[in-house]
Amino acid sequence: MHRNIPPACADPAAEAHVWADILLRRRLLHAAVLGPTGQWLVQRTPTAPVRLLDGPAEMIRLAAHIQYRLRTEETRAR
């Protein structure tokens, strides 16, 4: 069993919150705000346009996309 792989989250909203926090702390997003309807407002940089993500699944997909992009860039740099 791999100890570094967390178990799948049963609550997508909670998982989206965790990913938003990680992306903000690592400065991979400038802003991530959960709206009252469950949509997320995200901004990559202070001058970038604000994007509207329609729920937790889209926040999780954004996090996966950013991870993929970072890993691809790391691989190219080697």
Side-chain angles (χ1 to χ4, degrees):
M1 182 173 159
H2 297 282
R3 292 182 184 195
N4 295 336
I5 301 173
C9 186
D11 181 4
E15 185 176 358
H17 277 276
V18 170
W19 279 114
D21 185 54
I22 291 168
L23 295 172
L24 291 168
R25 279 189 286 124
R26 294 183 179 243
R27 293 188 167 92
L28 297 169
L29 284 180
H30 171 70
V33 178
L34 178 61
T37 61
Q39 296 173 316
W40 284 88
L41 300 170
V42 297
Q43 189 177 27
R44 289 186 72 181
T45 66
T47 58
V50 174
R51 288 179 52 195
L52 178 65
L53 304 181
D54 192 30
E58 284 194 32
M59 174 58 83
I60 295 166
R61 276 194 290 277
L62 175 63
H65 173 75
I66 291 171
Q67 283 184 314
Y68 175 78
R69 190 183 75 228
L70 290 172
R71 289 180 181 148
T72 302
E73 289 172 2
E74 286 177 6
T75 302
R76 288 181 189 157
R78 289 183 188 171

